[in-house]
Amino acid sequence: ASHGFPFCFLAPITFSIQLEKVTSTVIQFSWKPEGGTRDSPYRVRLWGGSGEMENRSLNETSTAFENLLSDNKYQISVDVSTCSKNVSTSLTVQTAAEIFNGTTRITNEVYTPAYQNKSSTAFKDFETKFIEEV
């Protein structure tokens, strides 16, 4: 009666989350399944202060959550069902604080008050130009 699941009790699937990139607004990560076989897509969730924010069903082993708040704690979790058991792993991640002061001195640009307002188009143009130059 057990030939549907020959390896179930020998090799449960395990996996660990690997952070690929964490910025002030993005958490990009992957996970590597070891052993076992999965019976379902991976369910990937993001929790923030206000509870569950995203819930994705994926067949690939990496994803990214974007448009996050800077300097904020989030929890990411990945779970999958294997041999009718649910295997889950999670990680708490803090996004980077947005620091836009300090050591970058721009000498060949006239500073305009519009740069103070980070959503102004002047700042966006400047930021794009700055990133291209760097």
mmCIF file of all heavy atoms in Angstrom, residues 88-132:
data_model
loop_
_atom_site.group_PDB
_atom_site.id
_atom_site.type_symbol
_atom_site.label_atom_id
_atom_site.label_comp_id
_atom_site.label_asym_id
_atom_site.label_seq_id
_atom_site.Cartn_x
_atom_site.Cartn_y
_atom_site.Cartn_z
ATOM 1 N N SER A 88 8.144 23.908 6.524
ATOM 2 C CA SER A 88 8.158 25.356 6.441
ATOM 3 C C SER A 88 9.449 25.910 7.014
ATOM 4 O O SER A 88 10.001 25.372 7.964
ATOM 5 C CB SER A 88 6.966 25.902 7.232
ATOM 6 O OG SER A 88 7.056 27.302 7.306
ATOM 7 N N THR A 89 9.932 26.986 6.422
ATOM 8 C CA THR A 89 11.079 27.674 6.986
ATOM 9 C C THR A 89 10.847 29.166 6.865
ATOM 10 O O THR A 89 10.183 29.612 5.936
ATOM 11 C CB THR A 89 12.388 27.248 6.279
ATOM 12 O OG1 THR A 89 13.486 27.816 6.967
ATOM 13 C CG2 THR A 89 12.438 27.719 4.846
ATOM 14 N N SER A 90 11.344 29.932 7.825
ATOM 15 C CA SER A 90 11.107 31.369 7.746
ATOM 16 C C SER A 90 12.302 32.130 8.267
ATOM 17 O O SER A 90 13.196 31.575 8.908
ATOM 18 C CB SER A 90 9.852 31.749 8.533
ATOM 19 O OG SER A 90 10.099 31.591 9.906
ATOM 20 N N LEU A 91 12.317 33.411 7.967
ATOM 21 C CA LEU A 91 13.452 34.261 8.272
ATOM 22 C C LEU A 91 12.932 35.665 8.528
ATOM 23 O O LEU A 91 12.040 36.127 7.823
ATOM 24 C CB LEU A 91 14.365 34.268 7.041
ATOM 25 C CG LEU A 91 15.805 34.715 7.159
ATOM 26 C CD1 LEU A 91 16.548 33.843 8.164
ATOM 27 C CD2 LEU A 91 16.475 34.630 5.794
ATOM 28 N N THR A 92 13.490 36.322 9.531
ATOM 29 C CA THR A 92 13.140 37.726 9.755
ATOM 30 C C THR A 92 14.220 38.589 9.128
ATOM 31 O O THR A 92 15.408 38.344 9.332
ATOM 32 C CB THR A 92 13.049 38.020 11.269
ATOM 33 O OG1 THR A 92 12.052 37.155 11.809
ATOM 34 C CG2 THR A 92 12.635 39.461 11.516
ATOM 35 N N VAL A 93 13.793 39.560 8.351
ATOM 36 C CA VAL A 93 14.731 40.391 7.611
ATOM 37 C C VAL A 93 14.402 41.848 7.885
ATOM 38 O O VAL A 93 13.236 42.223 7.908
ATOM 39 C CB VAL A 93 14.603 40.149 6.090
ATOM 40 C CG1 VAL A 93 15.656 40.928 5.324
ATOM 41 C CG2 VAL A 93 14.711 38.672 5.770
ATOM 42 N N GLN A 94 15.423 42.637 8.089
ATOM 43 C CA GLN A 94 15.205 44.068 8.247
ATOM 44 C C GLN A 94 15.706 44.772 7.000
ATOM 45 O O GLN A 94 16.847 44.580 6.591
ATOM 46 C CB GLN A 94 15.957 44.579 9.480
ATOM 47 C CG GLN A 94 15.812 46.074 9.660
ATOM 48 C CD GLN A 94 15.513 46.440 11.107
ATOM 49 O OE1 GLN A 94 15.437 45.562 11.969
ATOM 50 N NE2 GLN A 94 15.335 47.710 11.364
ATOM 51 N N THR A 95 14.833 45.583 6.397
ATOM 52 C CA THR A 95 15.276 46.324 5.215
ATOM 53 C C THR A 95 16.252 47.416 5.645
ATOM 54 O O THR A 95 16.259 47.842 6.794
ATOM 55 C CB THR A 95 14.080 46.968 4.480
ATOM 56 O OG1 THR A 95 13.280 47.667 5.434
ATOM 57 C CG2 THR A 95 13.242 45.931 3.770
ATOM 58 N N ALA A 96 17.062 47.852 4.709
ATOM 59 C CA ALA A 96 18.080 48.857 5.009
ATOM 60 C C ALA A 96 17.428 50.201 5.286
ATOM 61 O O ALA A 96 16.349 50.503 4.769
ATOM 62 C CB ALA A 96 19.034 48.976 3.830
ATOM 63 N N ALA A 97 18.092 50.995 6.101
ATOM 64 C CA ALA A 97 17.628 52.366 6.306
ATOM 65 C C ALA A 97 18.076 53.176 5.097
ATOM 66 O O ALA A 97 19.123 52.921 4.521
ATOM 67 C CB ALA A 97 18.236 52.933 7.573
ATOM 68 N N GLU A 98 17.258 54.126 4.710
ATOM 69 C CA GLU A 98 17.638 54.961 3.583
ATOM 70 C C GLU A 98 18.525 56.080 4.088
ATOM 71 O O GLU A 98 18.082 56.943 4.833
ATOM 72 C CB GLU A 98 16.390 55.570 2.951
ATOM 73 C CG GLU A 98 16.071 54.959 1.623
ATOM 74 C CD GLU A 98 14.850 55.602 1.021
ATOM 75 O OE1 GLU A 98 13.800 55.580 1.657
ATOM 76 O OE2 GLU A 98 14.985 56.147 -0.083
ATOM 77 N N ILE A 99 19.766 56.042 3.702
ATOM 78 C CA ILE A 99 20.690 57.070 4.164
ATOM 79 C C ILE A 99 21.141 57.840 2.947
ATOM 80 O O ILE A 99 21.721 57.274 2.028
ATOM 81 C CB ILE A 99 21.898 56.436 4.866
ATOM 82 C CG1 ILE A 99 21.402 55.654 6.077
ATOM 83 C CG2 ILE A 99 22.893 57.509 5.256
ATOM 84 C CD1 ILE A 99 22.421 54.766 6.700
ATOM 85 N N PHE A 100 20.807 59.090 2.929
ATOM 86 C CA PHE A 100 21.194 59.852 1.748
ATOM 87 C C PHE A 100 22.032 61.046 2.136
ATOM 88 O O PHE A 100 22.023 62.065 1.492
ATOM 89 C CB PHE A 100 19.954 60.309 0.977
ATOM 90 C CG PHE A 100 20.169 60.167 -0.495
ATOM 91 C CD1 PHE A 100 19.865 58.986 -1.134
ATOM 92 C CD2 PHE A 100 20.726 61.200 -1.233
ATOM 93 C CE1 PHE A 100 20.099 58.835 -2.490
ATOM 94 C CE2 PHE A 100 20.963 61.056 -2.588
ATOM 95 C CZ PHE A 100 20.643 59.873 -3.222
ATOM 96 N N ASN A 101 22.750 60.947 3.269
ATOM 97 C CA ASN A 101 23.594 62.067 3.624
ATOM 98 C C ASN A 101 24.980 61.535 3.850
ATOM 99 O O ASN A 101 25.259 60.380 3.600
ATOM 100 C CB ASN A 101 23.052 62.758 4.881
ATOM 101 C CG ASN A 101 22.867 61.750 5.992
ATOM 102 O OD1 ASN A 101 23.399 60.636 5.927
ATOM 103 N ND2 ASN A 101 22.114 62.102 6.999
ATOM 104 N N GLY A 102 25.871 62.384 4.368
ATOM 105 C CA GLY A 102 27.169 61.862 4.685
ATOM 106 C C GLY A 102 28.172 62.185 3.623
ATOM 107 O O GLY A 102 28.353 63.336 3.254
ATOM 108 N N THR A 103 28.788 61.142 3.079
ATOM 109 C CA THR A 103 30.097 61.356 2.500
ATOM 110 C C THR A 103 30.084 61.644 1.018
ATOM 111 O O THR A 103 31.110 61.972 0.463
ATOM 112 C CB THR A 103 30.947 60.103 2.731
ATOM 113 O OG1 THR A 103 30.181 58.995 2.257
ATOM 114 C CG2 THR A 103 31.232 59.914 4.193
ATOM 115 N N THR A 104 28.972 61.483 0.326
ATOM 116 C CA THR A 104 29.009 61.730 -1.111
ATOM 117 C C THR A 104 28.906 63.220 -1.349
ATOM 118 O O THR A 104 27.853 63.801 -1.172
ATOM 119 C CB THR A 104 27.840 61.013 -1.807
ATOM 120 O OG1 THR A 104 27.838 59.676 -1.346
ATOM 121 C CG2 THR A 104 28.017 61.020 -3.304
ATOM 122 N N ARG A 105 30.014 63.835 -1.739
ATOM 123 C CA ARG A 105 29.970 65.259 -2.023
ATOM 124 C C ARG A 105 29.918 65.421 -3.529
ATOM 125 O O ARG A 105 30.730 64.863 -4.252
ATOM 126 C CB ARG A 105 31.230 65.947 -1.483
ATOM 127 C CG ARG A 105 31.347 65.768 -0.002
ATOM 128 C CD ARG A 105 31.508 67.028 0.811
ATOM 129 N NE ARG A 105 31.732 68.273 0.138
ATOM 130 C CZ ARG A 105 32.812 69.016 0.299
ATOM 131 N NH1 ARG A 105 33.800 68.586 1.058
ATOM 132 N NH2 ARG A 105 32.918 70.179 -0.295
ATOM 133 N N ILE A 106 28.962 66.167 -3.978
ATOM 134 C CA ILE A 106 28.837 66.417 -5.408
ATOM 135 C C ILE A 106 29.368 67.828 -5.637
ATOM 136 O O ILE A 106 28.781 68.787 -5.161
ATOM 137 C CB ILE A 106 27.361 66.359 -5.860
ATOM 138 C CG1 ILE A 106 26.652 65.161 -5.239
ATOM 139 C CG2 ILE A 106 27.255 66.340 -7.377
ATOM 140 C CD1 ILE A 106 27.067 63.835 -5.743
ATOM 141 N N THR A 107 30.456 67.927 -6.362
ATOM 142 C CA THR A 107 31.078 69.249 -6.453
ATOM 143 C C THR A 107 30.687 69.983 -7.719
ATOM 144 O O THR A 107 30.738 71.202 -7.766
ATOM 145 C CB THR A 107 32.612 69.091 -6.434
ATOM 146 O OG1 THR A 107 32.954 68.061 -7.361
ATOM 147 C CG2 THR A 107 33.074 68.697 -5.051
ATOM 148 N N ASN A 108 30.289 69.249 -8.766
ATOM 149 C CA ASN A 108 30.032 69.957 -10.021
ATOM 150 C C ASN A 108 28.544 70.181 -10.259
ATOM 151 O O ASN A 108 28.111 70.332 -11.376
ATOM 152 C CB ASN A 108 30.632 69.172 -11.194
ATOM 153 C CG ASN A 108 29.994 67.798 -11.316
ATOM 154 O OD1 ASN A 108 29.292 67.369 -10.402
ATOM 155 N ND2 ASN A 108 30.226 67.116 -12.414
ATOM 156 N N GLU A 109 27.752 70.135 -9.207
ATOM 157 C CA GLU A 109 26.316 70.350 -9.363
ATOM 158 C C GLU A 109 25.903 71.449 -8.403
ATOM 159 O O GLU A 109 26.347 71.477 -7.263
ATOM 160 C CB GLU A 109 25.527 69.089 -8.976
ATOM 161 C CG GLU A 109 25.568 67.986 -10.002
ATOM 162 C CD GLU A 109 24.500 68.140 -11.079
ATOM 163 O OE1 GLU A 109 23.576 68.940 -10.898
ATOM 164 O OE2 GLU A 109 24.629 67.465 -12.099
ATOM 165 N N VAL A 110 25.049 72.324 -8.865
ATOM 166 C CA VAL A 110 24.489 73.316 -7.955
ATOM 167 C C VAL A 110 23.383 72.627 -7.167
ATOM 168 O O VAL A 110 22.490 72.003 -7.741
ATOM 169 C CB VAL A 110 23.906 74.502 -8.752
ATOM 170 C CG1 VAL A 110 23.370 75.554 -7.796
ATOM 171 C CG2 VAL A 110 24.974 75.083 -9.667
ATOM 172 N N TYR A 111 23.466 72.732 -5.865
ATOM 173 C CA TYR A 111 22.447 72.102 -5.029
ATOM 174 C C TYR A 111 21.160 72.912 -5.094
ATOM 175 O O TYR A 111 21.175 74.115 -4.931
ATOM 176 C CB TYR A 111 22.934 72.045 -3.571
ATOM 177 C CG TYR A 111 21.959 71.323 -2.677
ATOM 178 C CD1 TYR A 111 22.024 69.946 -2.519
ATOM 179 C CD2 TYR A 111 20.952 72.024 -2.027
ATOM 180 C CE1 TYR A 111 21.116 69.283 -1.716
ATOM 181 C CE2 TYR A 111 20.044 71.360 -1.219
ATOM 182 C CZ TYR A 111 20.133 69.999 -1.071
ATOM 183 O OH TYR A 111 19.235 69.342 -0.299
ATOM 184 N N THR A 112 20.067 72.237 -5.379
ATOM 185 C CA THR A 112 18.797 72.970 -5.391
ATOM 186 C C THR A 112 17.890 72.384 -4.330
ATOM 187 O O THR A 112 17.955 71.181 -4.032
ATOM 188 C CB THR A 112 18.095 72.846 -6.760
ATOM 189 O OG1 THR A 112 17.663 71.495 -6.908
ATOM 190 C CG2 THR A 112 19.007 73.221 -7.900
ATOM 191 N N PRO A 113 17.020 73.219 -3.763
ATOM 192 C CA PRO A 113 16.127 72.735 -2.700
ATOM 193 C C PRO A 113 15.266 71.565 -3.156
ATOM 194 O O PRO A 113 14.827 70.763 -2.353
ATOM 195 C CB PRO A 113 15.258 73.966 -2.385
ATOM 196 C CG PRO A 113 16.067 75.133 -2.859
ATOM 197 C CD PRO A 113 16.867 74.653 -4.030
ATOM 198 N N ALA A 114 15.032 71.457 -4.470
ATOM 199 C CA ALA A 114 14.208 70.352 -4.963
ATOM 200 C C ALA A 114 14.841 69.006 -4.621
ATOM 201 O O ALA A 114 14.158 67.997 -4.519
ATOM 202 C CB ALA A 114 14.006 70.476 -6.465
ATOM 203 N N TYR A 115 16.174 68.987 -4.453
ATOM 204 C CA TYR A 115 16.820 67.716 -4.125
ATOM 205 C C TYR A 115 16.434 67.239 -2.732
ATOM 206 O O TYR A 115 16.534 66.066 -2.424
ATOM 207 C CB TYR A 115 18.343 67.838 -4.211
ATOM 208 C CG TYR A 115 18.882 68.058 -5.616
ATOM 209 C CD1 TYR A 115 20.159 68.547 -5.793
ATOM 210 C CD2 TYR A 115 18.130 67.755 -6.734
ATOM 211 C CE1 TYR A 115 20.673 68.752 -7.070
ATOM 212 C CE2 TYR A 115 18.629 67.967 -8.006
ATOM 213 C CZ TYR A 115 19.907 68.469 -8.177
ATOM 214 O OH TYR A 115 20.410 68.657 -9.436
ATOM 215 N N GLN A 116 16.033 68.154 -1.866
ATOM 216 C CA GLN A 116 15.572 67.757 -0.533
ATOM 217 C C GLN A 116 14.353 66.862 -0.645
ATOM 218 O O GLN A 116 14.137 65.971 0.141
ATOM 219 C CB GLN A 116 15.167 68.995 0.294
ATOM 220 C CG GLN A 116 16.333 69.680 0.954
ATOM 221 C CD GLN A 116 16.894 68.875 2.115
ATOM 222 O OE1 GLN A 116 16.524 67.721 2.333
ATOM 223 N NE2 GLN A 116 17.789 69.484 2.856
ATOM 224 N N ASN A 117 13.522 67.149 -1.625
ATOM 225 C CA ASN A 117 12.290 66.390 -1.776
ATOM 226 C C ASN A 117 12.580 65.213 -2.701
ATOM 227 O O ASN A 117 12.705 65.386 -3.900
ATOM 228 C CB ASN A 117 11.230 67.324 -2.381
ATOM 229 C CG ASN A 117 9.965 66.561 -2.742
ATOM 230 O OD1 ASN A 117 9.886 65.361 -2.495
ATOM 231 N ND2 ASN A 117 9.009 67.242 -3.324
ATOM 232 N N LYS A 118 12.665 64.029 -2.111
ATOM 233 C CA LYS A 118 13.141 62.881 -2.884
ATOM 234 C C LYS A 118 12.152 62.420 -3.941
ATOM 235 O O LYS A 118 12.477 61.630 -4.791
ATOM 236 C CB LYS A 118 13.462 61.714 -1.947
ATOM 237 C CG LYS A 118 14.664 62.024 -1.116
ATOM 238 C CD LYS A 118 15.080 60.829 -0.317
ATOM 239 C CE LYS A 118 16.173 61.233 0.662
ATOM 240 N NZ LYS A 118 16.408 60.224 1.649
ATOM 241 N N SER A 119 10.908 62.900 -3.870
ATOM 242 C CA SER A 119 9.990 62.468 -4.917
ATOM 243 C C SER A 119 9.913 63.509 -6.024
ATOM 244 O O SER A 119 9.190 63.329 -6.988
ATOM 245 C CB SER A 119 8.597 62.207 -4.327
ATOM 246 O OG SER A 119 8.186 63.352 -3.620
ATOM 247 N N SER A 120 10.631 64.621 -5.889
ATOM 248 C CA SER A 120 10.594 65.638 -6.938
ATOM 249 C C SER A 120 11.296 65.105 -8.180
ATOM 250 O O SER A 120 12.200 64.280 -8.104
ATOM 251 C CB SER A 120 11.288 66.920 -6.475
ATOM 252 O OG SER A 120 12.688 66.707 -6.425
ATOM 253 N N THR A 121 10.880 65.607 -9.331
ATOM 254 C CA THR A 121 11.488 65.112 -10.572
ATOM 255 C C THR A 121 12.933 65.561 -10.656
ATOM 256 O O THR A 121 13.775 64.858 -11.188
ATOM 257 C CB THR A 121 10.706 65.611 -11.800
ATOM 258 O OG1 THR A 121 10.504 67.018 -11.631
ATOM 259 C CG2 THR A 121 9.376 64.929 -11.923
ATOM 260 N N ALA A 122 13.242 66.744 -10.115
ATOM 261 C CA ALA A 122 14.634 67.199 -10.137
ATOM 262 C C ALA A 122 15.527 66.198 -9.423
ATOM 263 O O ALA A 122 16.598 65.834 -9.903
ATOM 264 C CB ALA A 122 14.748 68.577 -9.477
ATOM 265 N N PHE A 123 15.069 65.733 -8.270
ATOM 266 C CA PHE A 123 15.869 64.766 -7.522
ATOM 267 C C PHE A 123 15.986 63.459 -8.293
ATOM 268 O O PHE A 123 17.050 62.885 -8.395
ATOM 269 C CB PHE A 123 15.236 64.492 -6.148
ATOM 270 C CG PHE A 123 16.026 63.500 -5.348
ATOM 271 C CD1 PHE A 123 17.090 63.911 -4.564
ATOM 272 C CD2 PHE A 123 15.727 62.154 -5.385
ATOM 273 C CE1 PHE A 123 17.828 63.003 -3.835
ATOM 274 C CE2 PHE A 123 16.457 61.235 -4.664
ATOM 275 C CZ PHE A 123 17.507 61.662 -3.889
ATOM 276 N N LYS A 124 14.868 63.025 -8.881
ATOM 277 C CA LYS A 124 14.898 61.765 -9.624
ATOM 278 C C LYS A 124 15.884 61.861 -10.793
ATOM 279 O O LYS A 124 16.652 60.952 -11.041
ATOM 280 C CB LYS A 124 13.500 61.419 -10.162
ATOM 281 C CG LYS A 124 12.523 61.031 -9.059
ATOM 282 C CD LYS A 124 12.190 59.550 -9.147
ATOM 283 C CE LYS A 124 11.062 59.163 -8.209
ATOM 284 N NZ LYS A 124 11.395 59.365 -6.791
ATOM 285 N N ASP A 125 15.851 62.980 -11.519
ATOM 286 C CA ASP A 125 16.775 63.157 -12.639
ATOM 287 C C ASP A 125 18.206 63.152 -12.131
ATOM 288 O O ASP A 125 19.085 62.517 -12.700
ATOM 289 C CB ASP A 125 16.522 64.495 -13.352
ATOM 290 C CG ASP A 125 15.145 64.532 -14.008
ATOM 291 O OD1 ASP A 125 14.489 63.466 -14.084
ATOM 292 O OD2 ASP A 125 14.732 65.609 -14.438
ATOM 293 N N PHE A 126 18.422 63.860 -11.053
ATOM 294 C CA PHE A 126 19.752 63.939 -10.476
ATOM 295 C C PHE A 126 20.220 62.560 -10.023
ATOM 296 O O PHE A 126 21.339 62.149 -10.290
ATOM 297 C CB PHE A 126 19.727 64.916 -9.285
ATOM 298 C CG PHE A 126 20.970 64.875 -8.466
ATOM 299 C CD1 PHE A 126 22.168 65.358 -8.960
ATOM 300 C CD2 PHE A 126 20.962 64.353 -7.186
ATOM 301 C CE1 PHE A 126 23.324 65.319 -8.198
ATOM 302 C CE2 PHE A 126 22.109 64.310 -6.423
ATOM 303 C CZ PHE A 126 23.291 64.794 -6.934
ATOM 304 N N GLU A 127 19.303 61.836 -9.376
ATOM 305 C CA GLU A 127 19.640 60.517 -8.866
ATOM 306 C C GLU A 127 20.033 59.603 -10.024
ATOM 307 O O GLU A 127 21.013 58.875 -9.961
ATOM 308 C CB GLU A 127 18.426 59.950 -8.130
ATOM 309 C CG GLU A 127 18.698 58.689 -7.368
ATOM 310 C CD GLU A 127 17.462 58.187 -6.628
ATOM 311 O OE1 GLU A 127 16.368 58.243 -7.204
ATOM 312 O OE2 GLU A 127 17.600 57.766 -5.491
ATOM 313 N N THR A 128 19.257 59.642 -11.094
ATOM 314 C CA THR A 128 19.538 58.801 -12.262
ATOM 315 C C THR A 128 20.906 59.150 -12.828
ATOM 316 O O THR A 128 21.725 58.281 -13.104
ATOM 317 C CB THR A 128 18.468 59.041 -13.349
ATOM 318 O OG1 THR A 128 17.190 58.930 -12.715
ATOM 319 C CG2 THR A 128 18.570 57.994 -14.449
ATOM 320 N N LYS A 129 21.162 60.442 -12.961
ATOM 321 C CA LYS A 129 22.428 60.908 -13.497
ATOM 322 C C LYS A 129 23.578 60.480 -12.587
ATOM 323 O O LYS A 129 24.612 60.005 -13.041
ATOM 324 C CB LYS A 129 22.372 62.435 -13.604
ATOM 325 C CG LYS A 129 23.576 63.052 -14.263
ATOM 326 C CD LYS A 129 23.317 64.533 -14.492
ATOM 327 C CE LYS A 129 24.645 65.264 -14.565
ATOM 328 N NZ LYS A 129 24.506 66.700 -14.387
ATOM 329 N N PHE A 130 23.359 60.639 -11.291
ATOM 330 C CA PHE A 130 24.373 60.287 -10.310
ATOM 331 C C PHE A 130 24.712 58.796 -10.411
ATOM 332 O O PHE A 130 25.857 58.402 -10.438
ATOM 333 C CB PHE A 130 23.858 60.631 -8.906
ATOM 334 C CG PHE A 130 24.806 60.247 -7.810
ATOM 335 C CD1 PHE A 130 26.025 60.887 -7.662
ATOM 336 C CD2 PHE A 130 24.486 59.234 -6.921
ATOM 337 C CE1 PHE A 130 26.894 60.532 -6.649
ATOM 338 C CE2 PHE A 130 25.358 58.877 -5.923
ATOM 339 C CZ PHE A 130 26.563 59.540 -5.780
ATOM 340 N N ILE A 131 23.677 57.979 -10.521
ATOM 341 C CA ILE A 131 23.881 56.520 -10.582
ATOM 342 C C ILE A 131 24.638 56.174 -11.874
ATOM 343 O O ILE A 131 25.540 55.349 -11.887
ATOM 344 C CB ILE A 131 22.525 55.781 -10.499
ATOM 345 C CG1 ILE A 131 21.997 55.901 -9.073
ATOM 346 C CG2 ILE A 131 22.673 54.307 -10.877
ATOM 347 C CD1 ILE A 131 20.550 55.549 -8.910
ATOM 348 N N GLU A 132 24.289 56.837 -12.984
ATOM 349 C CA GLU A 132 24.995 56.570 -14.236
ATOM 350 C C GLU A 132 26.469 56.942 -14.116
ATOM 351 O O GLU A 132 27.335 56.227 -14.595
ATOM 352 C CB GLU A 132 24.356 57.365 -15.380
ATOM 353 C CG GLU A 132 23.050 56.743 -15.872
ATOM 354 C CD GLU A 132 22.263 57.695 -16.772
ATOM 355 O OE1 GLU A 132 22.755 58.801 -17.090
ATOM 356 O OE2 GLU A 132 21.151 57.317 -17.146
#
